[in-house]
Amino acid sequence: MQCKLTRLSLLISGLFVAGAPAFAQTTDVGTVTVQGSSGTAAATGLIQAEESPKARSSVNRDYMDKQSPTGNPYQMINLLPGVNTYDNDGSGLFGGNIRVRGFNSDQLGFTINGAPVNDSGSYAVYPQEYTDAENLCNIFVTQGSTDTEAPHVGATGGNIGMTTCAPEDEQRIRVTNAFGSNSLWKRFVRFDSGKLLDGRLKFFISYSKTTADKFKGAGGAIKDHVDVGANLDLGQGSFINGSLLYNKAINNNYRSLTKAQIAQYGTGYDFGTKAPVHQPAVAGTAQNDTTYGPNASIANDNYYAYSLNPFKNWLATVNGHFQLSPTSSIDVDPYFWYGFGTGGNQLQTVKEGGVAGASQVGGGVRDINGDGDRLDTVYAYEGSRTKTFRPGVTFKFNQQLENHKLMAGYWYERARHQQTGQFSPIDSNGNIADLWQENSDVWLRNADGSVLQYRDTMTISTAQSIFLQDSINLMNDKLNVQVGGRYSSIDRDFTNYPSTGSTSGTASNASAGYYKVKKSYADFLPSLGLRFQLDEKQSVFFNAAKNFKAPGNFSYFGLLSGGTMVNGQLVGATQRAVPVDKETSWNYDLGYRYNTDKWMFSSSVFYIDYHNRIASAFNADTNSKTDYNVGDSTSKGFELESGYALTRNLSMYGSLSYIKSKMKDDMRNSATQVLPTSGKEFPDTPNWLSALSLQYQRDGWYVFGQAKYTGNRYTTLVNDDSIGGYTVFNAGAGITLPSTSWMKKPTIRLNAYNLFDKQYLNLSSGSGSQFTTNANTVNGISGSAPSFYVGAPRTFTVTLTADF
């Protein structure tokens, strides 16, 4: 692949080279030390002073206050070095994906107020389900090295943390209304209690409702969200902070397209608006909804109202900090996550059991259309239903001993992750009997009364870590040495209950029988960090850390082969071994920082050594998507970021990233097929990323412009297909008007996304590291076309905010 640097990348490169001294600086992980204000290098809110001996970037409230209030966390950190994100829609309500140094979202650990929010089964991340942007105060990205105390067993590529804002000291009510393109409308209200109980207690509660249409095709999104936060000061340095998050949303999906579909139908092609209808029932006749004349276009167009993602979740967190003495303390941080919902393209066909019932699970499907026979193929709504109960707790003991700052702790979590696939009836007007798949009375059933399901699994995951870290200050605090280690493990207890194993409702032996898998994964993960303060302004750092990721639970699906169905039960099947092992990585960083009020600069050179890197690809032996260890690989590159106060009112931020990844091994696609992946780059990992932000702020008003360049990248594991680079420009402006006797700080903001309406594509790789192996025929192995999301066009948001 050819690398092409745009003018933006060259501008930023020159900006760093021309301004950088010969050698920069950071703060403890999770600690914000600089808030942007006029005349400082941190005025944009995109760079902060850090002291940790590892690569780390963050955005704070100053930056997020100027963005669209519907934006999700991926959009907020898009300009940071090493970060490659896309959003399915400019509103932030329809999800997206993120990669950091080529690590996919399911290889990064995500936390909110210290609690992990990656999916407990697959480690997938759904950014639109988290806290309201108005309540976020800080988002940090640790590129490469996962923090020693981080509660993760699926993070080989660092971690991303979100922290909600504390309640205000003064009582207030904040009201926000936002309007925008595609009928976007957000209503937000937050009440802060101010200090109560002699100043020891304060809390806030907020509620928002957001709706929007898709920018192409029919459908939209509707989201209800509640945040609650409380701080209780226990005195003498001890406190308890708590938060509660509730989110309920339904959004229709955007259709991903192959290049051939785009060439044939255009970029505006999406799901159809015609609801499928049922063929009139006739007893004794085999009927098929898919061949019924009025449904002629359904197979190609699908139906937008059945391609959706209803989901609701709760997250409760508590941080109890207890100061035992001036030099020692204990932190107790329990949390509880509950998630429930469905998703995917949920229009499916179900074939009634008929004479073949004996060879199907549960005796085959009962009569669906009520015509008295079991001969028909009928359209139905199938929900990929997931329900998760996930309690956990972290204990930390902190002790200062002269020049040693010791931290020791333990993290424990037990997640109960149920995944089922029920079918509900639909009528000929597009109505669904049970959209949320919560009412078992209406679900389709088999002849023996069992629920018809394409999957029925339970994964109980018990994860834990024991960790220890010593931060040592030497040479009159010029040298800081961090030595840490954690022993992390996860026990997977997976149960597969008999199901069809096919979204069509017909039997597939791979999942038709009962089986269990018990697997344990563990590793000792050492880390070493060094930071040397050259002078008051300059420092250098080095970090080396090992990370690991246990396979997701989808690796345990469909492990049966062979066997025959007898009276609705599978007998004589063989259970295959889990096809994938844990992946590990060693991450090395060497960096330099420079920090003054007017100028901040941070740089790092990194090297990543992967072993057994996991990716999902098509398995010719099982005729399905399977997780693979694609072998060892390496990545190396550099990252630069800088903030400048050009004048008291004019500030600039820029970032530039380069990465080169290489796979070392050929990939065995089946027992007899090998794909030439050795020497190839990992897909969806652009060599170049660059970003620039320019902001002018004065006397209660501001205006800013941003640009983000994303370079060329491959779309398959064998690198036989690629997509080009692109630059997207965003802009914003706002003004705070004079307060009145009843309204304080009335503010008007305008945000424009993709200002010049750039057309571009992003690779659809699912919520995990799912890649197409080859687009064309390679070594006799037929290819399949990768699919893409069309980038969102120009969109606008107007936001009105005031305190009362």
Side-chain angles (χ1 to χ4, degrees):
M1 175 188 295
Q2 288 185 334
C3 279
K4 180 182 178 182
L5 286 179
T6 64
R7 294 173 183 171
L8 173 64
S9 299
L10 293 172
L11 170 64
I12 296 173
S13 301
L15 181 129
F16 285 122
V17 172
F23 272 137
Q25 175 186 3
T26 42
T27 141
D28 284 344
V29 170
T31 301
V32 179
T33 59
V34 175
Q35 291 290 330
S37 59
S38 293
T40 69
T44 60
L46 285 161
I47 190 169
Q48 302 173 46
E50 309 280 356
E51 294 176 354
S52 62
K54 63 178 67 177
R56 185 175 181 272
S57 303
S58 59
V59 300
N60 64 24
R61 186 69 243 158
D62 292 324
Y63 178 76
M64 289 183 278
D65 258 341
K66 298 179 178 69
Q67 308 308 305
S68 170
T70 66
N72 64 51
Y74 287 179
Q75 293 171 302
M76 297 297 177
I77 61 176
N78 184 43
L79 302 184
L80 299 183
V83 175
N84 177 25
T85 75
Y86 73 80
D87 175 55
N88 286 339
D89 183 277
S91 69
L93 296 173
F94 294 85
N97 199 31
I98 187 172
R99 299 187 192 278
V100 178
R101 291 185 178 177
F103 291 101
N104 192 66
S105 56
D106 64 345
Q107 297 170 302
L108 304 166
F110 284 75
T111 59
I112 297 179
N113 297 330
V117 293
N118 295 73
D119 185 275
S120 64
S122 66
Y123 310 112
V125 182
Y126 305 98
Q128 71 273 27
E129 296 174 1
Y130 302 145
T131 183
D132 270 324
E134 293 90 341
N135 295 327
L136 274 176
C137 263
N138 181 259
I139 308 175
F140 71 83
V141 180
T142 302
Q143 298 104 329
S145 297
T146 303
D147 297 326
T148 300
E149 71 272 32
H152 305 300
V153 287
T156 41
N159 51 284
I160 295 175
M162 292 159 272
T163 305
T164 56
C165 297
E168 297 290 321
D169 290 341
E170 302 294 330
Q171 187 178 106
R172 75 170 190 191
I173 297 175
R174 171 160 289 184
V175 177
T176 296
N177 268 282
F179 310 88
S181 304
N182 306 310
S183 302
L184 183 143
W185 184 21
K186 178 171 184 176
R187 294 79 88 196
F188 171 88
V189 59
R190 167 170 162 159
F191 170 74
D192 282 88
S193 68
K195 290 185 176 181
L196 306 171
L197 301 179
D198 296 326
R200 293 188 295 115
L201 173 68
K202 55 183 180 178
F203 70 88
F204 79 84
I205 180 170
S206 72
Y207 168 76
S208 71
K209 188 178 190 70
T210 312
T211 57
D213 294 336
K214 292 165 58 179
F215 72 81
K216 67 167 186 170
I222 180 170
K223 173 180 175 180
D224 292 273
H225 191 91
V226 176
D227 283 332
V228 180
N231 292 8
L232 176 62
D233 186 356
L234 302 177
Q236 298 181 336
S238 298
F239 57 83
I240 298 176
N241 297 336
S243 68
L244 177 66
L245 171 158
Y246 169 73
N247 194 83
K248 181 180 180 181
I250 302 177
N251 62 274
N252 294 102
N253 300 321
Y254 281 95
R255 185 169 193 161
S256 59
L257 305 172
T258 65
K259 292 179 179 178
Q261 287 176 317
I262 293 172
Q264 182 176 0
Y265 302 111
T267 57
Y269 184 52
D270 205 74
F271 297 108
T273 56
K274 181 180 177 181
V277 297
H278 295 303
Q279 188 169 5
V282 178
T285 302
Q287 297 165 292
N288 191 330
D289 282 347
T290 65
T291 59
Y292 184 42
N295 294 328
S297 64
I298 295 298
N300 186 53
D301 293 344
N302 291 313
Y303 179 47
Y304 83 93
Y306 298 159
S307 183
L308 72 167
N309 180 35
F311 207 86
K312 51 190 174 184
N313 48 275
W314 296 82
L315 175 63
T317 65
V318 175
N319 170 218
H321 178 81
F322 305 99
Q323 199 70 37
L324 305 179
S325 73
T327 58
S328 62
S329 63
I330 290 178
D331 289 281
V332 182
D333 303 339
Y335 61 87
F336 178 78
W337 168 276
Y338 169 77
F340 175 84
T342 75
N345 293 322
Q346 303 186 82
L347 174 63
Q348 303 294 340
T349 58
V350 175
K351 183 174 176 57
E352 296 172 349
V355 295
S359 64
Q360 296 184 11
V361 175
V365 184
R366 290 177 177 176
D367 179 16
I368 300 174
N369 57 4
D371 64 355
D373 64 37
R374 298 174 62 203
L375 305 174
D376 308 315
T377 300
V378 183
Y379 277 128
Y381 173 86
E382 169 274 310
S384 302
R385 184 176 182 263
T386 300
K387 180 187 287 187
T388 303
F389 296 89
R390 188 179 184 183
V393 63
T394 300
F395 301 93
K396 285 193 297 185
F397 174 72
N398 307 286
Q399 178 69 55
Q400 185 78 45
L401 290 175
E402 297 181 346
N403 61 330
H404 294 262
K405 186 177 180 180
L406 297 169
M407 176 184 67
Y410 174 68
W411 166 63
Y412 176 86
E413 175 184 281
R414 187 178 188 272
R416 187 175 181 270
H417 193 69
Q418 181 188 46
Q419 293 171 285
T420 54
Q422 296 85 348
F423 294 78
S424 290
I426 56 178
D427 65 22
S428 292
N429 295 315
N431 298 308
I432 305 167
D434 183 19
L435 183 146
W436 283 87
Q437 299 289 36
E438 293 181 291
N439 183 7
S440 60
D441 291 340
V442 302
W443 296 342
L444 301 185
R445 294 182 178 270
N446 296 309
D448 64 358
S450 61
V451 176
L452 171 66
Q453 300 185 90
Y454 89 90
R455 66 179 186 182
D456 186 3
T457 69
M458 174 67 74
T459 307
I460 298 176
S461 302
T462 304
Q464 51 191 327
S465 290
I466 300 173
F467 53 87
L468 177 66
Q469 180 176 284
D470 187 9
S471 180
I472 312 165
N473 286 331
L474 302 168
M475 301 174 62
N476 295 321
D477 294 340
K478 278 194 169 186
L479 175 64
N480 175 259
V481 179
Q482 272 189 15
V483 181
R486 61 185 170 115
Y487 182 81
S488 295
S489 66
I490 181 171
D491 299 324
R492 297 275 204 194
D493 187 345
F494 175 87
T495 304
N496 183 88
Y497 299 95
S499 63
T500 65
S502 167
T503 53
S504 67
T506 57
S508 168
N509 286 13
S511 299
Y514 174 90
Y515 67 89
K516 290 182 70 70
V517 176
K518 290 189 175 182
K519 294 283 289 184
S520 296
Y521 307 90
D523 211 334
F524 176 68
L525 307 172
S527 63
L528 171 66
L530 305 172
R531 177 181 57 82
F532 186 76
Q533 200 73 33
L534 300 173
D535 55 33
E536 291 183 358
K537 302 175 182 179
Q538 302 179 83
S539 63
V540 292
F541 68 88
F542 170 78
N543 183 265
K546 185 181 182 183
N547 302 321
F548 101 109
K549 174 188 173 182
N553 69 325
F554 281 113
S555 299
Y556 307 148
F557 280 50
L559 291 182
L560 297 181
S561 59
T564 57
M565 297 296 299
V566 179
N567 296 324
Q569 294 185 338
L570 181 67
V571 296
T574 301
Q575 182 177 335
R576 300 188 304 276
V578 177
V580 66
D581 200 358
K582 68 183 179 183
E583 71 174 17
T584 62
S585 68
W586 272 98
N587 292 264
Y588 304 90
D589 281 281
L590 179 63
Y592 163 78
R593 298 185 178 110
Y594 180 84
N595 178 29
T596 66
D597 285 343
K598 299 293 184 183
W599 184 21
M600 292 181 185
F601 174 81
S602 180
S603 62
S604 63
V605 178
F606 62 86
Y607 178 80
I608 304 167
D609 187 15
Y610 291 96
H611 295 281
N612 288 329
R613 185 165 181 174
I614 297 173
S616 294
F618 185 78
N619 186 331
D621 292 337
T622 62
N623 196 36
S624 63
K625 281 270 190 178
T626 303
D627 278 348
Y628 285 94
N629 290 117
V630 297
D632 296 345
S633 64
T634 60
S635 295
K636 55 188 175 182
F638 63 84
E639 293 163 349
L640 310 173
E641 67 173 333
S642 187
Y644 298 84
L646 301 176
T647 69
R648 176 171 179 78
N649 306 110
L650 183 62
S651 54
M652 177 184 290
Y653 170 85
S655 67
L656 180 66
S657 309
Y658 172 80
I659 184 171
K660 189 75 170 180
S661 64
K662 180 180 289 188
M663 289 182 278
K664 294 182 177 180
D665 306 307
D666 286 335
M667 178 180 174
R668 183 164 292 279
N669 197 40
S670 69
T672 59
Q673 297 178 332
V674 176
L675 284 166
T677 54
S678 177
K680 304 298 172 54
E681 295 187 43
F682 230 79
D684 206 22
T685 305
N687 296 137
W688 292 97
L689 294 167
S690 58
L692 185 65
S693 178
L694 191 64
Q695 173 182 287
Y696 187 86
Q697 183 170 331
R698 180 173 182 174
D699 298 333
W701 64 272
Y702 68 86
V703 62
F704 70 81
Q706 299 172 350
K708 174 66 180 286
Y709 169 71
T710 303
N712 302 353
R713 58 254 192 245
Y714 292 109
T715 62
T716 65
L717 287 169
V718 300
N719 292 180
D720 63 344
D721 185 74
S722 64
I723 50 178
Y726 62 90
T727 302
V728 172
F729 292 85
N730 304 327
I735 185 170
T736 300
L737 303 174
S739 299
T740 68
S741 59
W742 58 279
M743 183 171 61
K744 300 177 181 178
K745 297 180 180 179
T747 302
I748 303 173
R749 301 203 311 267
L750 172 65
N751 291 91
Y753 172 82
N754 195 1
L755 186 63
F756 300 113
D757 207 20
K758 177 69 174 180
Q759 293 188 357
Y760 59 95
L761 299 176
N762 284 300
L763 180 66
S764 170
S765 56
S767 59
S769 302
Q770 299 174 8
F771 297 117
T772 302
T773 54
N774 49 301
N776 306 298
T777 299
V778 178
N779 288 354
I781 302 172
S782 298
S784 60
S787 59
F788 306 91
Y789 286 111
V790 175
R794 178 172 48 240
T795 57
F796 295 94
T797 306
V798 177
T799 307
L800 310 175
T801 300
D803 294 344
F804 299 91

